[in-house]
Amino acid sequence: MAISRYLAVAAVMGALAFAPMAAAKVVDQSEAGFAVAHTAQVAATPADVWKMLRMPQSWWSKDHSWSGDAANFWLDQQAGGCFCEKLPDTGAGVGSVQHARILFAKPNQLLRLSGAFGPLQGEALNGTLTIQIKETPTGSALRFDYVVGGYMRFKVADIAPAVDKVIGEQLLGLANALGGALPPTRDEKAAEKPKADAPAKDEQGLDAAVADLVEKEPKPAPEGR
């Protein structure tokens, strides 16, 4: 996508709205912001997933870049590091874009970034993308959670579904770079269907809600036992 087109908000919104469909869900939405979540299964080890995560040029869509070329993406490895993009020299010098900043990096398990992607960058918003990895019998389970809040000149009802599709597209790109997403198992399909007589679940805090794919470290036994 050319930078001039990316800067035109109307054109960007149109591109977002027609992004390829993926398993998508806007999990929460209000005037203050929204949250989206996506999951996938891949036949790759957590170590292989982590290695691929650190190479966004191999899976983040060039259609959601400022330069139009995914080869210009890079991702640093530690907290404070940058998910950035180089803007090639067009006669005035080389430029760059910060898409997000790393907040939390736990190899093979969790990567959390802070950044308002695409046209959201021009608004007074905070965006947090949490990427979780969990080993499974067939490879790895992946989960993307993106939470956005603050002031913006878009209507949440319009932008939330569009951003949801974009985040889903990035998860799909990651899965494809790892050999493709696996179909859900019969148990997973059954779990997605709520039971008619099941009581409503209480809302959980953010960390509790997104920690289901991360193994809990065993607590040390009390001394003297």
Side-chain angles (χ1 to χ4, degrees):
M1 181 180 293
I3 186 169
S4 59
R5 182 183 176 194
Y6 207 99
L7 288 171
V9 173
V12 173
M13 289 287 287
L16 297 181
F18 291 101
M21 287 295 294
K25 186 176 183 182
V26 177
V27 296
D28 193 24
Q29 180 177 308
S30 72
E31 292 183 358
F34 60 91
V36 305
H38 294 259
T39 60
Q41 303 273 341
V42 294
T45 67
D48 287 338
V49 174
W50 186 257
K51 182 178 179 180
M52 185 61 69
L53 267 180
R54 291 161 50 195
M55 299 186 293
Q57 67 272 22
S58 297
W59 57 273
W60 195 275
S61 173
K62 66 180 180 63
D63 293 332
H64 301 292
S65 70
W66 295 83
S67 65
D69 187 349
N72 291 318
F73 290 127
W74 82 86
L75 178 68
D76 293 331
Q77 301 180 18
Q78 298 296 330
C82 189
F83 170 26
C84 290
E85 178 183 356
K86 179 179 69 175
L87 299 180
D89 189 353
T90 58
V94 176
S96 60
V97 180
Q98 176 180 292
H99 290 275
R101 180 73 54 184
I102 297 176
L103 298 177
F104 192 114
K106 189 171 186 179
N108 307 343
Q109 293 188 44
L110 188 145
L111 181 68
R112 179 171 289 148
L113 306 116
S114 175
F117 298 118
L120 302 183
Q121 188 183 74
E123 307 303 307
L125 294 171
N126 289 317
T128 303
L129 176 63
T130 300
I131 301 173
Q132 296 184 81
I133 310 164
K134 182 179 179 180
E135 187 173 10
T136 68
T138 57
S140 299
L142 311 177
R143 175 164 175 161
F144 280 25
D145 284 86
Y146 189 47
V147 183
V148 177
Y151 175 78
M152 60 181 162
R153 293 163 291 181
F154 303 122
K155 292 182 179 180
V156 172
D158 293 335
I159 194 68
V163 172
D164 182 54
K165 291 179 181 179
V166 171
I167 297 300
E169 184 180 347
Q170 309 322 311
L171 177 55
L172 181 61
L174 177 60
N176 287 340
L178 292 163
L182 299 176
T185 65
R186 182 179 301 177
D187 290 342
E188 289 169 341
K189 288 181 178 179
E192 291 176 357
K193 297 180 180 179
K195 296 181 180 179
D197 57 348
K201 293 183 178 180
D202 293 334
E203 291 294 327
Q204 303 180 63
L206 173 62
D207 288 336
V210 301
D212 56 329
L213 294 183
V214 178
E215 291 286 355
K216 294 182 179 179
E217 296 182 1
K219 296 181 180 179
E223 295 182 4
R225 293 186 181 181

